[in-house]
Amino acid sequence: MNLLELKGVHTHIGAYHILHGVDLVVPQGQVTMLLGRNGAGKSTTLRTVMGLWHASQGRVVLAGQDITAAATPHIAALGVAYVPENMGIFADLTVRENMLLAARAARRAEQMDAGRLQWIFKMFPAVEKFWNHPAGKLSGGQKQMLVVARAIVEPRQLLIVDEPSKGLAPAIIDNMIDAFAELKAQGVTILLVEQNLNFARRLGDSVAVMDNGRVVHAGAMEAFSADAALQQSLLGLAL
Ligand SMILES: Nc1ncnc2c1ncn2[C@@H]1O[C@H](COP(=O)(O)OP(=O)(O)O)[C@@H](O)[C@H]1O
Ligand SMILES: [Mg+2]
């Protein structure tokens, strides 16, 4: 079953026609990688799913429900978490306060689901270690961990992340891969935009490649990852 489906989605930003009929499926319980050159329309696609842009044509369907015209808070309330590119954390607030801001149901840290917090701490030890420290003190990799931790502070059915590995050192990328694999093991469906082909290959079950505002290839990651000529022609680079 597909948790998320985009059917012929067109998105305009002002006078610009950015998405030209995006067809994309995100199967339930899997990790789907959205790849493509800079400017292909990946971030615009994610923003259209989240209702930050609205499709001028086509449909966005979440678990069988049409969310094409839905407002962002409604989409979030349906259990979709979104981590935008270069997502700012609140540098002057502590890690705990950053997490608390994302936990809509909790007013105080003591009200956050304790079991869930322990699970998050296990995936992202830096979140626990720096719990009472200003988030601005974290390294780049730790900040990236914090934004993902913040996105899952409440149970989610779909996690959407725009370029989680950007600017991260290889060791941190390994931790990030482990964390996403753990989320998947817990039943979270994941849609990731990635530039790092190696990261994409290690985590992805399926892949969709965008070019010029369309999905130009979709299929199993295994087949894509074995086909250097296809990677070269779609991305201009190969593993
Ligand atoms: N706010 C905006 N205003 C005008 N054009 C935009 C805006 N955001 C993105 N674009 C354009 O839309 C195209 C797709 O951008 P984007 O979705 O960010 O691509 P990607 O994430 O694949 O790099 C690019 O040509 C970009 O310049
Ligand atoms: Mg982008």
Side-chain angles (χ1 to χ4, degrees):
M1 179 210 145
N2 294 321
L3 181 57
L4 180 71
E5 277 187 52
L6 281 74
K7 300 175 186 172
V9 166
H10 290 250
T11 295
H12 289 75
I13 302 178
Y16 300 99
H17 191 173
I18 308 291
L19 300 186
H20 297 265
V22 171
D23 293 309
L24 175 69
V25 299
V26 177
Q28 173 109 46
Q30 292 194 12
V31 179
T32 300
M33 289 289 172
L34 190 57
L35 310 182
R37 296 184 177 93
N38 256 332
K42 305 180 297 293
S43 297
T44 303
T45 298
L46 301 191
R47 289 178 61 86
T48 302
V49 170
M50 288 312 296
L52 294 161
W53 302 123
H54 285 292
S56 48
Q57 205 183 310
R59 300 209 310 143
V60 182
V61 179
L62 177 74
Q65 185 177 345
D66 192 321
I67 57 163
T68 315
T72 304
H74 178 67
I75 295 167
L78 292 172
V80 184
Y82 167 57
V83 182
E85 226 174 330
N86 311 315
M87 173 61 169
I89 45 125
F90 298 97
D92 296 334
L93 299 185
T94 64
V95 166
R96 180 180 61 83
E97 287 162 337
N98 270 273
M99 293 288 285
L100 199 49
L101 280 173
R104 283 164 303 161
R107 291 234 181 81
R108 293 194 306 273
E110 308 83 72
Q111 294 172 331
M112 283 195 245
D113 183 314
R116 193 165 181 88
L117 266 187
Q118 288 308 317
W119 173 63
I120 289 174
F121 289 164
K122 236 177 122 190
M123 267 187 291
F124 304 112
V127 171
E128 181 172 29
K129 188 167 169 208
F130 295 101
W131 190 238
N132 288 309
H133 295 256
K137 295 258 188 271
L138 300 180
S139 71
Q142 289 166 341
K143 283 180 184 144
Q144 192 67 279
M145 301 284 178
L146 173 57
V147 293
V148 176
R150 198 169 60 177
I152 55 159
V153 67
E154 290 181 337
R156 307 293 194 174
Q157 55 172 337
L158 176 62
L159 176 62
I160 297 176
V161 189
D162 203 342
E163 299 204 28
S165 75
K166 200 173 183 179
L168 299 186
I172 308 289
I173 291 182
D174 285 346
N175 293 348
M176 198 63 107
I177 288 175
D178 290 345
F180 285 123
E182 164 67 14
L183 286 170
K184 179 190 162 186
Q186 296 298 323
V188 181
T189 302
I190 301 174
L191 172 62
L192 293 182
V193 164
E194 254 310 321
Q195 296 278 14
N196 181 328
L197 203 46
N198 192 40
F199 180 109
R201 184 181 59 156
R202 285 172 58 189
L203 200 60
D205 297 302
S206 52
V207 58
V209 184
M210 291 192 71
D211 196 23
N212 276 319
R214 286 185 191 86
V215 171
V216 292
H217 170 85
M221 178 57 85
E222 208 173 342
F224 182 75
S225 129
D227 192 338
L230 185 61
Q231 295 162 26
Q232 186 70 44
S233 78
L234 293 175
L235 301 172
L237 53 96
L239 276 166

